[in-house]
Structures are given as structure tokens and as C-alpha cells.
Amino acid sequence: MPFSRNQASLDTNILYYFHAVGRLDLIWALFPEGVWIDPAVLQEIRIEFGADLETYLSEQGLVFQIERQFEDRHYVEMAEIKTRRRGLKHADIVTIVVAGKQGVTCLSADEPVRKTCEERQIPFARHLGCLEEAIKRGLLGDEEALILLKGFLDEGLYLPRSLVEDFRQCRKL
């Protein structure tokens, strides 16, 4: 159960899209004991989107942790993941490894990340899972969740049509 954990490791697309819709605070509310963000993820956002997310998070009081104590076995794990999932970037791989190392939930939209987490029995959630959990905890109403979903899609987040329609159908006002 991804939301039975109180900490999460975040990849680039989770950070970017929640930032784009102005609701990074939801991630911190869902995982109150800590959020892990690797510097590779922050750098990827800076390069791809021109945003200095680290400064923004600091200004918003959204504290995050960085894993700096990798052992040889973690580097071996990263290499093994890269061998099996060639399309994954370093930022995705390190997000998985940090989630496994810390025993926290991995947040991503990437299917290869989901598959890797599933194989390694690491709790995993996507954007819609976060929105559903926020509704369940009373952090969002149905209407606001639908507005955030629209914002994700308008920003270019790819989600399978069936998942989007199911989410919308469950929240018809």
C-alpha cells in the first residue's frame, strides 16, 4: 500500500506536474514524515523546464531529504536496473533505489519505473493515486481534483485514457 508509508521518493514528472498546477504541498501532506528528492531529479527539472525547483521548495518551506550514503550494492543495483530498463534515466533509477533503500513509496508516472518497483516490492503510486488519496484524506474535493487533473493534462502529462475516464467518472458532480 503506497499510502501506508509516510515518506516518498519523487521522480521528475511528479515534481514537475504538481509544481505546474501549484500543488506541491499535497505531496508533502500525503507524506508528512519526509520527501526524498535526488539531485539528479532537481537537475533534470532545471535542464528540461528551466525551473530552479530547489529554491522554490525552500521558499515554500517544503523540506526534502537527499540520500548521500550509497553503498557499493546500491550502485550495483542502479547498474542492474539500467541493464534491464535501458530507457530509464539516472534520475528515475536513483528514485527507485532510494525508495527501496529507505523503505518508502516511489512516486512516478513512468511505466518502467512502476514495473521495476513492482518487481522489487517497492510501494508505487502515480499522479492519479495521489489525487485519490488526497480526496480520501479530505485534502481535496472532487471538483478540485478534476481541476488538477485537467492542469496535469494541459501541461502535457500522458495518462492512459481509460485511467483518466475512470477517474473523471468516479467524480462526476
Side-chain angles (χ1 to χ4, degrees):
M1 299 282 301
F3 299 101
S4 64
R5 307 293 170 100
N6 289 321
Q7 294 185 38
S9 179
L10 312 183
D11 83 349
T12 305
N13 60 42
I14 290 285
L15 279 170
Y16 174 77
Y17 289 105
F18 274 89
H19 177 59
V21 298
R23 290 308 308 264
L24 275 171
D25 62 298
L26 281 176
I27 302 298
W28 271 254
L30 292 171
F31 299 97
E33 290 183 11
V35 171
W36 295 83
I37 305 171
D38 191 80
V41 170
L42 294 170
Q43 181 65 17
E44 196 171 78
I45 287 177
R46 193 174 295 120
I47 290 169
E48 290 185 32
F49 308 110
D52 185 357
L53 194 55
E54 190 169 359
T55 299
Y56 174 81
L57 292 172
S58 177
E59 290 169 353
Q60 299 302 309
L62 301 174
V63 177
F64 63 93
Q65 301 172 76
I66 296 174
E67 178 58 68
R68 299 190 189 278
Q69 302 298 319
F70 290 114
E71 298 171 9
D72 289 345
R73 65 186 171 95
H74 299 118
Y75 293 110
V76 168
E77 185 178 357
M78 288 178 206
E80 187 270 327
I81 292 170
K82 184 63 177 176
T83 299
R84 296 189 68 234
R85 306 259 193 257
R86 293 217 176 269
L88 287 179
K89 297 177 186 174
H90 176 72
D92 297 319
I93 293 168
V94 76
T95 298
I96 296 165
V97 172
V98 168
K101 181 178 190 271
Q102 296 297 329
V104 303
T105 297
C106 182
L107 298 182
S108 177
D110 298 328
E111 187 61 16
V113 172
R114 184 199 62 77
K115 287 179 181 177
T116 304
C117 287
E118 187 176 278
E119 292 167 359
R120 295 166 185 274
Q121 299 179 340
I122 297 170
F124 176 87
R126 293 183 173 139
H127 300 73
L128 292 180
C130 291
L131 293 179
E132 288 172 354
E133 185 65 18
I135 291 167
K136 193 182 302 181
R137 293 187 191 180
L139 301 170
L140 287 178
D142 286 340
E143 186 174 352
E144 187 176 8
L146 290 169
I147 291 168
L148 294 178
L149 172 60
K150 182 181 182 323
F152 293 157
L153 298 173
D154 288 349
E155 281 292 322
L157 177 64
Y158 169 77
L159 293 168
R161 179 170 280 156
S162 61
L163 293 178
V164 171
E165 291 309 315
D166 287 348
F167 187 84
R168 285 178 174 152
Q169 196 67 29
C170 291
R171 277 142 196 93
K172 282 202 172 184
L173 301 173

